[in-house]
Amino acid sequence: MKDFIRGLDPRTIRLTFGAIYLIALSMALFPPFYLASSGVRTPVLGVPWAVMYWLLDAVILGLALWALYIVEDIRGELDEDLPAASISAGGE
């Protein structure tokens, strides 16, 4: 699996996670999606659907961020090796 992730094109990764973030953001920022689902009276796991909608959106976004972190860690793209001079110059 790690070899597969390392072999992926960076554009493929950006498109995949960009699509997931676009879905999560459109669920949060496009009112017709929420309004269409807010009329549902069926509770899910004891939680009203209107609340579960926001929980589901947050879970999708959180899992996507977590998955992107794992993918970047496997590919060695994390910013852990930044030189100290560039961090202090940007932070002040």
Side-chain angles (χ1 to χ4, degrees):
M1 185 70 177
K2 289 183 178 182
D3 292 334
F4 173 74
I5 291 173
R6 286 185 189 120
L8 287 174
D9 184 36
R11 184 170 184 235
T12 303
I13 294 172
R14 283 193 304 264
L15 286 175
T16 302
F17 284 102
I20 294 169
Y21 297 143
L22 183 65
I23 290 169
L25 284 176
S26 65
M27 285 176 64
L29 300 176
F30 193 60
F33 288 147
Y34 174 70
L35 293 174
S37 66
S38 67
V40 176
R41 301 264 184 233
T42 306
V44 177
L45 301 174
V47 179
W49 175 249
V51 176
M52 184 58 80
Y53 177 87
W54 294 111
L55 292 174
L56 180 67
D57 192 31
V59 167
I60 290 171
L61 189 59
L63 289 176
L65 287 171
W66 179 60
L68 181 60
Y69 175 80
I70 291 173
V71 167
E72 287 184 346
D73 186 36
I74 290 172
R75 294 173 57 91
E77 297 173 346
L78 295 177
D79 295 334
E80 295 177 356
D81 296 330
L82 286 177
S86 67
I87 293 173
S88 65
E92 293 180 3

